[in-house]
Amino acid sequence: MRRALFIAITSLTRAGVEACVDFLEAIAPKLPEFWLPLPVELCRGRSVDLGPLEGYLEPLLNLYYEVRANWRCYSSAEELKRREMAAVKLGSPSGL
């Protein structure tokens, strides 16, 4: 049986994540599985300290806990923090 892959990409802004969550609430329960950019530690039932990144990911975290679907996580907490720091450095006036 052939499996379809669906990837949703959004900016790491609160508005972008909220728009993505609105979309996922409607379609994710109908799909066999759906991958979220959340730490794999979370999907394994461990607590994760995301620091300031948690504010951006809060809508996805709520979705993960409140909507019944076959959620999968594909990033580590450390990888998410590295990406956040890279985005902050790129967006700063001095750059990297």
Side-chain angles (χ1 to χ4, degrees), residues 27-39:
I27 67 159
K30 299 172 186 166
L31 298 173
E33 63 185 17
F34 207 93
W35 295 82
L36 296 174
L38 293 174

Side-chain angles (χ1 to χ4, degrees), residues 7-86:
I7 299 172
I9 299 173
T10 186
S11 62
L12 188 55
T13 63
R14 182 68 181 223
V17 172
E18 287 174 349
C20 187
V21 165
D22 289 344
F23 176 71
L24 292 176
E25 281 181 317
I27 67 159
K30 299 172 186 166
L31 298 173
E33 63 185 17
F34 207 93
W35 295 82
L36 296 174
L38 293 174
V40 293
E41 298 90 345
L42 180 83
C43 281
R44 293 179 184 149
R46 292 185 280 188
S47 63
V48 179
D49 176 20
L50 294 172
L53 189 57
E54 188 168 345
Y56 293 105
L57 294 177
E58 183 181 17
L60 278 177
L61 293 167
N62 292 337
L63 179 75
Y64 177 81
Y65 288 115
E66 295 172 6
V67 175
R68 293 193 50 79
N70 192 10
W71 301 118
R72 302 283 189 244
C73 300
Y74 67 83
S75 195
S76 71
E78 289 305 313
E79 177 63 24
L80 285 169
K81 289 176 184 176
R82 276 196 300 276
R83 288 182 195 174
E84 176 190 25
M85 286 305 299

